[in-house]
Amino acid sequence: MIHRVLLAAALSLIPGVVRAKPPAVDAAFAPKLIIYPAKGAANACGPGCDRWIAVEGRIDQDAASRIRRFLLKVKDTQRPIYFHSPGGVVGQSFLIGRLLRSRKAVARIGRTIVTACGAATQVDDACLKIKTGGGEVEAEIVTRYAMCNSACSYLFLGATTREVAPDAAMAVHNSKLTMIFHGHPSAQQIAAFTERSTVKADRERASFIAAMGISHELTDLVRTVKFESLHILTRPELYRFGIDTRPTVETAWRLEGAARPYVRKIVLAKKDDSQSFRTMEWRLFCENKDRARLMFVREFDQGGAAVNSVIMIAGSEKPVIFGKFPARTGTYEVWSETIASDTMKAVLAASHLQIGEGASMSEGKTSLATFDIDTNGMEAAWTQFLASCPAAPANAKSVIASPGLTFSPAQ
């Protein structure tokens, strides 16, 4: 059984606000599955994590044996494994999935960008030689446009800890059977054999998914998706099926190249009263070396009370209420304001930022809902970004630093 290689673009997360197309991916994968150790900067793969295992490429007929040999040499069974694959041989994915389950592996979806490959495509011959040379490579993790599709989804299910970033994709579809007949069987014999093989393949898939502790809803869904198509699992589906059951998922802060570059973070948070999630995004722009601008985009609940204030707490600083009149685009609110350099330093020094959303209630009372977001990657991304910022104008008015940030409607 072989899945045709089908690629899917990562979804735009915020309509009208996040509009970006993925890079060309026609030749974005190695012809066979490769596995190698990688090392990055401090916290490159999460707080306290700077080493991981990269698994990428098309799942070929001998993939499981290579993965097994490699993992036998890795004593740290909790070192995270990052997958980036369009799929391949289904039977091999089942074998790898069971191997990962025996290790109680931690699996994530992410692209490993190897520094020594420079501006290469990451899959040309020179880069593949570096990746498969046997040594640990210097690299970084990028979750945006990363994918684990088709047969890759099954090996991913084998891990006991599974994490899918907000900007990564996991997609499924039904299998395609490739059969070779010898001799000259009749049409009836071919049809009967094909039917038996299809039933067997469906049974094996359902048995594997159930053994991995995943809801039968995933099996039911896969049966409805034609092989020629591809269904990207939504965040509620990932949660409901038991694939990634975190109530809040977030990306690291990362510098994004664009006509006007910015540092970005995305958070998906489960709503208290359902299995649905809402999307939030932070974009940090550089106006000059003494002043930044932060844009906060939140999805609002049309049936709930309107949020008229936002609070940020950085470290032990006193919370400050932000502006009251955000701009609206579709079902999203956009808040924005400048940040003084001293305030930016306080934000960078905090390991977490507490965000509070205040809504007016009856009798003049205000309810406040709070949640935390981490600052992982923020300092490195901002330091890199700041190097290209213009100097502050000599006649610029001084900006008084405050312990928080003030938002106003986007201009």
Side-chain angles (χ1 to χ4, degrees):
M1 297 181 294
I2 301 178
H3 281 306
R4 179 186 297 172
V5 176
L6 294 177
L7 306 181
L11 295 174
S12 295
L13 295 176
I14 301 180
V17 178
V18 179
R19 294 291 190 186
K21 294 182 178 180
V25 291
D26 293 341
F29 295 96
K32 66 179 184 179
L33 202 66
I34 61 174
I35 181 169
Y36 57 95
K39 181 182 185 301
N43 305 317
C45 45
C49 176
D50 63 357
R51 283 178 165 84
W52 66 94
I53 297 170
V55 176
E56 59 190 47
R58 295 173 174 83
I59 304 170
D60 59 287
Q61 192 61 53
D62 300 315
S65 60
R66 291 197 305 276
I67 299 295
R68 181 179 292 106
R69 287 195 299 270
F70 179 93
L71 292 179
L72 282 174
K73 301 175 184 178
V74 181
K75 303 303 180 184
D76 181 6
T77 60
Q78 290 304 290
R79 183 174 296 188
I81 304 174
Y82 281 83
F83 294 95
H84 182 50
S85 169
V89 181
V90 175
Q92 291 290 296
S93 71
F94 291 163
L95 293 174
I96 297 171
R98 292 188 177 97
L99 173 62
L100 297 181
R101 179 55 55 95
S102 69
R103 287 177 62 89
K104 298 182 179 179
V106 176
R108 299 169 183 163
I109 299 175
R111 295 184 293 138
T112 298
I113 307 300
V114 176
T115 306
C117 292
T121 64
Q122 295 290 317
V123 293
D124 61 16
D125 291 341
C127 189
L128 291 179
K129 186 175 181 180
I130 294 172
K131 293 179 177 181
T132 59
E136 189 175 68
V137 299
E138 294 286 338
E140 65 173 321
I141 286 290
V142 177
T143 55
R144 193 177 187 191
Y145 305 133
M147 63 187 73
C148 184
N149 293 350
S150 190
C152 177
S153 63
Y154 301 129
L155 63 87
F156 186 79
L157 296 181
T160 53
T161 299
R162 299 174 292 263
E163 299 178 357
V164 183
D167 52 357
M170 181 177 178
V172 298
H173 63 175
N174 215 330
S175 302
K176 176 183 180 181
L177 296 178
T178 300
M179 296 175 287
I180 299 176
F181 295 95
H182 297 284
H184 302 283
S186 66
Q188 292 83 356
Q189 289 175 318
I190 292 176
F193 183 80
T194 300
E195 182 178 358
R196 290 196 302 272
S197 299
T198 300
V199 171
K200 180 182 178 182
D202 288 345
R203 185 169 59 246
E204 289 177 345
R205 179 178 60 232
S207 177
F208 176 82
I209 290 174
M212 297 301 110
I214 304 302
S215 171
H216 67 85
E217 290 183 85
L218 176 60
T219 300
D220 297 339
L221 172 63
V222 170
R223 288 173 179 162
T224 67
V225 183
K226 293 182 179 180
F227 168 72
E228 293 76 15
S229 185
L230 199 64
H231 175 81
I232 299 177
L233 296 177
T234 64
R235 181 57 50 176
E237 287 172 337
L238 290 168
Y239 183 87
R240 189 172 71 250
F241 297 166
I243 298 172
D244 184 347
T245 57
R246 294 174 295 165
T248 302
V249 292
E250 51 191 299
T251 65
W253 294 81
R254 180 173 174 80
L255 179 60
E256 299 286 352
R260 185 185 180 189
Y262 56 92
V263 176
R264 181 171 70 167
K265 181 181 185 65
I266 299 169
V267 175
L268 302 181
K270 179 178 172 295
K271 297 179 181 179
D272 292 336
D273 58 348
S274 69
Q275 292 186 350
S276 61
F277 286 71
R278 69 170 180 140
T279 302
M280 291 169 285
E281 179 174 335
W282 287 259
R283 290 191 179 192
L284 188 59
F285 296 89
C286 175
E287 296 199 343
N288 56 56
K289 292 189 182 297
D290 290 335
R291 190 167 65 180
R293 177 175 291 274
L294 182 67
M295 178 186 293
F296 170 50
V297 185
R298 64 175 296 275
E299 185 178 12
F300 62 87
D301 185 356
Q302 294 184 344
V307 169
N308 55 23
S309 64
V310 177
I311 295 174
M312 173 177 283
I313 304 174
S316 60
E317 296 290 346
K318 182 179 178 181
V320 173
I321 296 177
F322 301 170
K324 297 184 178 181
F325 303 102
R328 286 195 173 184
T329 171
T331 60
Y332 293 85
E333 293 178 343
V334 183
W335 310 65
S336 175
E337 187 55 279
T338 56
I339 310 171
S341 59
D342 288 348
T343 302
M344 192 68 215
K345 290 177 182 178
V347 171
L348 293 175
S351 61
H352 288 80
L353 302 174
Q354 186 177 60
I355 308 297
E357 296 170 310
S360 297
M361 307 297 287
S362 59
E363 301 178 357
K365 296 181 179 180
T366 299
S367 66
L368 183 65
T370 63
F371 60 93
D372 286 356
I373 61 172
D374 66 41
T375 56
N376 185 40
M378 188 183 205
E379 184 174 13
W382 182 250
T383 299
Q384 180 184 354
F385 192 15
L386 195 61
S388 62
C389 287
N395 60 348
K397 296 181 180 179
S398 60
V399 180
I400 300 176
S402 66
L405 309 178
T406 300
F407 288 82
S408 63
Q411 301 298 321

